[in-house]
């Protein structure tokens, strides 16, 4: 039976020298069962045209993490690879809860949060 990650979100400390996507990446990668963040085609298109978006919103992205803030409402989309020994649903929920916890360390209101499990890798 696949393992479930611990249910409590990872505690996060906001540091002044990192950006929100970096803090999110650090917190997500510390979750048991998460192998890596997965760059996607969406990341490639956003890098190709950095002018996308209006002056009202701010986009901050790393490969596998896309953050859009309009006012103080922040939407986050994360693409991950997880280990096959872990339940995808439980790991995805843990990632979601961790994102919410990180956003609450900033003066931001969580908006839409999307967790995409793009790869499940099994040990051979």
């Amino acid at each position: 039976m696949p393992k479930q990650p611990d249910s409590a979100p990872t505690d996060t400390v906001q540091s002044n020298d990192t950006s929100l996507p970096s803090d999110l990446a650090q917190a997500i990668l510390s979750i048991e069962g998460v192998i890596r963040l997965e760059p996607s085609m969406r990341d490639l298109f956003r890098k190709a045209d950095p002018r996308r978006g209006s002056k009202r919103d701010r986009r901050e992205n790393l490969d596998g993490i896309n953050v859009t803030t309009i006012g103080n409402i922040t939407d986050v989309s994360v693409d991950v690879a997880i280990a096959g020994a872990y339940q995808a649903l439980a790991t995805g929920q843990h990632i979601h809860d961790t994102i919410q916890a990180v956003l609450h360390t900033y003066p931001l209101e969580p908006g839409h949060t999307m967790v995409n499990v793009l790869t499940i890798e099994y040990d051979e």
Side-chain angles (χ1 to χ4, degrees):
M1 174 178 239
K3 299 184 229 175
Q4 291 189 16
D6 295 333
S7 60
T10 306
D11 289 334
T12 326
V13 177
Q14 177 186 354
S15 62
N16 294 331
D17 60 343
T18 60
S19 66
L20 176 58
S22 295
D23 287 345
L24 287 168
Q26 181 179 9
I28 291 165
L29 290 171
S30 71
I31 295 171
E32 194 173 356
V34 175
I35 297 173
R36 67 182 170 274
L37 296 168
E38 286 280 22
S40 66
M41 291 300 291
R42 178 179 54 223
D43 295 328
L44 293 174
F45 288 123
R46 285 195 174 133
K47 285 180 183 179
D49 186 5
R51 298 169 292 152
R52 290 185 61 193
S54 69
K55 293 181 181 179
R56 297 182 314 125
D57 69 354
R58 188 176 80 246
R59 297 177 192 271
E60 300 177 78
N61 303 310
L62 289 176
D63 281 347
I65 297 180
N66 295 290
V67 177
T68 303
T69 302
I70 300 175
N72 72 331
I73 299 174
T74 301
D75 296 335
V76 179
S77 175
V78 177
D79 300 328
V80 295
I82 64 169
Y86 293 84
Q87 293 181 358
L89 179 60
T91 304
Q93 183 62 52
H94 193 176
I95 293 168
H96 180 275
D97 295 344
T98 299
I99 291 168
Q100 299 296 305
V102 171
L103 289 176
H104 286 299
T105 65
Y106 284 79
L108 300 170
E109 183 178 333
H112 181 74
T113 300
M114 186 177 352
V115 177
N116 304 302
V117 176
L118 300 184
T119 306
I120 299 174
E121 294 185 6
Y122 293 90
D123 292 331
E124 293 185 25

